[in-house]
Amino acid sequence: MPRSGGVPLRVVSYNIHGQRDDTAALAAVVREAAPDVVIVQEGPRRLRWRAKSAALAASFGLVVAAGGLPSLGNLLLTSLRVRVTGTRCRRFPLTPGRHLRGAAYADCVVAGSARFTVAGSHLSTDPAERPGQAELFGRDLAAAPHPVIAGADLNEEPGGPAWTAVARGLTDAAVAADRGERFTYSCADPRRRLDALFVDPRITVVDYDVVDTPLTRRASDHFPVLVDLLLPTAG
């Protein structure tokens, strides 16, 4: 049932390191969190990416909403509680000699009346090309048809130009929960907050956590970001 003031939604944003670590631990981490939405960075993007994306989603107890190869490894997964009404993907312009990057978007509805757009991206490690990608991603978020929930590995810390471009007009969930000091990278030596979840100001941040456990330290090189939200309802 909706809580007073909104509809609850649990979201995880997670760079899964191309599933190169302990995949059983990865599945256990996400299943334990019991999210409605998972925003994946470094998901399947090459040979048999559809089957691999479906298998990853199934290991989490979720289904694929959008992403994969068309968004270059950004993947949006949802529980059956969430109905997806539209999807789209973007590839950022290629800088010669660098890796392609992209973003995935899905328009969703939960509890019959709470609509939102979920988005995910993984920006470049190159400080010269990252701000341009961030501007394109930020423009897409500003043009979204519903209140936005955006998860990303920005490869940059708060205050940088790319971070600022993506965050424009949105609420940083970590700051809203007074947990901006929680580092997300690396699991071996956590010193940087590279991973963020931003939400439309109409969405309430109820809780925020960077999940640091023995399982998460085995599952990837990034910690997952776990956020509880309250979504506004239509009317």
Side-chain angles (χ1 to χ4, degrees):
M1 292 295 291
R3 298 181 193 174
S4 177
V7 174
L9 191 80
R10 173 165 282 193
V11 180
V12 167
S13 185
Y14 205 171
N15 182 322
I16 64 170
H17 199 208
Q19 297 173 268
R20 293 193 292 271
D21 303 293
D22 187 330
T23 55
L26 177 66
V29 166
V30 176
R31 283 184 173 269
E32 186 174 318
D36 299 297
V37 174
V38 177
I39 305 167
V40 173
Q41 299 91 41
E42 292 197 34
R45 57 174 288 180
R46 292 187 177 90
L47 184 66
R48 299 182 61 246
W49 64 271
R50 289 184 181 87
K52 291 175 182 177
S53 296
L56 176 67
S59 75
F60 293 166
L62 303 170
V63 296
V64 176
L69 176 62
S71 62
L72 300 167
N74 295 287
L75 193 63
L76 305 178
L77 311 177
T78 62
S79 73
L80 296 181
R81 179 173 174 252
V82 177
R83 181 165 62 91
V84 177
T85 61
T87 66
R88 51 205 171 275
C89 294
R90 170 193 280 281
R91 293 186 179 190
F92 300 128
L94 175 64
T95 299
R98 304 298 301 174
H99 295 296
L100 276 166
R101 303 280 179 165
Y105 309 85
D107 301 323
C108 305
V109 61
V110 67
S113 61
R115 296 186 178 274
F116 64 96
T117 296
V118 62
S121 188
H122 183 192
L123 301 188
S124 175
T125 56
D126 185 342
E129 71 175 349
R130 192 165 55 236
Q133 295 173 352
E135 285 290 342
L136 291 173
F137 187 46
R139 287 180 207 166
D140 289 347
L141 300 180
H146 308 301
V148 164
I149 300 167
D153 174 359
L154 299 173
N155 269 312
E156 182 176 280
E157 294 178 81
W163 187 292
T164 300
V166 175
R168 190 176 298 123
L170 301 174
T171 298
D172 182 334
V175 173
D178 196 25
R179 291 178 183 166
E181 80 290 347
R182 299 290 304 275
F183 299 130
T184 66
Y185 181 81
S186 71
C187 291
D189 184 18
R191 295 189 180 188
R192 306 179 74 191
R193 184 159 79 97
L194 303 182
D195 306 270
L197 192 123
F198 303 105
V199 299
D200 185 287
R202 291 169 288 181
I203 297 174
T204 301
V205 178
V206 176
D207 198 14
Y208 171 97
D209 193 19
V210 174
V211 185
D212 181 353
T213 67
L215 273 179
T216 60
R217 286 178 178 254
R218 286 163 38 200
S220 178
D221 61 341
H222 288 246
F223 293 116
V225 171
L226 172 63
V227 185
D228 284 305
L229 305 170
L230 285 178
L231 303 176
T233 56

